[in-house]
Amino acid sequence: EKRVLVAGWDEHERKPTLEFGHDDLVQGWDRLQQWIAAEDQEFLLWRQQLREKRREWQRKVPARDARELLLPNKHSVEKARAWRYRRAADLVAIEKLYIENSEVEHQRELEQVAWGQTQKELEGKIRKQQLRQRNQLVAGHFLVIIGVSVGIWYATSKAAHERSVMLAAEASRLAEPKLDLALLLALQASQVSP
């Protein structure tokens, strides 16, 4: 009986295993070998670059500027996370720690950006509210000034009209005995309130 995969048990590591039923399956499958070789090559190149960055970071780790030596952006962090997931056995503990610190720093930067945007939005809303309150205050003062002005104008107009009516009435009363004084009073009445 030939099987493609064979389940087994590793006594040394005390865990189940899954292996190809025959080595010819792997050796005869060129495309799989090329894929494995290409992934290995890509991983090995990435790991070499990671190790160089990690060594520089490790030399400066007590310093505050060591954060600048972590993985620089979201793409780098996501790529490192994927490799750590797929090839954890091929990474040493300090490399895993470097990747974790990079993830934490990247998350902190994202939170700072989000907090900064939230702060700016909040400050913008506060400025708009303050501007609206100031405009309402100015409009209220303007309406009060207009109301007072209209009241003063009305009071002075009414007083002038009453004075004009009084002068005209006096001119009328004096028209017969003192015509010249009556004419002067009538002229003055028309000048006070036309």
Side-chain angles (χ1 to χ4, degrees), residues 16-92:
T17 62
L18 191 61
E19 298 176 353
F20 286 107
H22 199 278
D23 288 340
D24 288 341
L25 287 171
V26 176
Q27 292 172 353
W29 198 355
D30 290 337
R31 179 180 270 171
L32 177 61
Q33 284 182 324
Q34 290 170 359
W35 178 74
I36 290 171
E39 183 178 282
D40 277 346
Q41 186 177 12
E42 182 184 354
F43 172 74
L44 293 173
L45 178 63
W46 173 82
R47 188 176 64 182
Q48 181 59 36
Q49 293 169 350
L50 178 78
R51 284 181 174 170
E52 290 170 12
K53 291 176 186 174
R54 189 257 318 151
R55 283 184 193 115
E56 191 175 348
W57 169 75
Q58 199 172 0
R59 282 191 295 272
K60 289 191 173 186
V61 98
R64 296 203 35 85
D65 62 345
R67 287 193 318 215
E68 296 171 5
L69 299 171
L70 293 169
L71 295 172
N73 56 41
K74 178 182 177 182
H75 174 73
S76 299
V77 170
E78 287 175 355
K79 189 172 185 178
R81 185 182 300 135
W83 280 122
R84 185 185 64 201
Y85 176 76
R86 289 180 14 217
R87 304 286 294 261
D90 296 322
L91 296 170
V92 295

Side-chain angles (χ1 to χ4, degrees), residues 52-146:
E52 290 170 12
K53 291 176 186 174
R54 189 257 318 151
R55 283 184 193 115
E56 191 175 348
W57 169 75
Q58 199 172 0
R59 282 191 295 272
K60 289 191 173 186
V61 98
R64 296 203 35 85
D65 62 345
R67 287 193 318 215
E68 296 171 5
L69 299 171
L70 293 169
L71 295 172
N73 56 41
K74 178 182 177 182
H75 174 73
S76 299
V77 170
E78 287 175 355
K79 189 172 185 178
R81 185 182 300 135
W83 280 122
R84 185 185 64 201
Y85 176 76
R86 289 180 14 217
R87 304 286 294 261
D90 296 322
L91 296 170
V92 295
I94 191 71
E95 291 167 342
K96 293 174 186 175
L97 179 64
Y98 177 72
I99 293 169
E100 289 169 11
N101 281 319
S102 295
E103 288 175 317
V104 167
E105 179 63 18
H106 180 67
Q107 184 63 35
R108 187 187 67 77
E109 288 173 359
L110 289 176
E111 289 170 359
Q112 281 182 334
V113 168
W115 174 253
Q117 289 173 345
T118 303
Q119 282 294 104
K120 287 179 183 176
E121 290 171 3
L122 183 60
E123 289 168 0
K125 286 179 181 179
I126 289 171
R127 276 194 300 273
K128 284 180 183 177
Q129 184 178 11
Q130 288 172 339
L131 181 61
R132 187 171 37 252
Q133 288 173 344
R134 189 177 69 223
N135 288 344
Q136 289 172 347
L137 186 63
V138 167
H141 282 104
F142 184 69
L143 289 175
V144 167
I145 290 170
I146 288 175

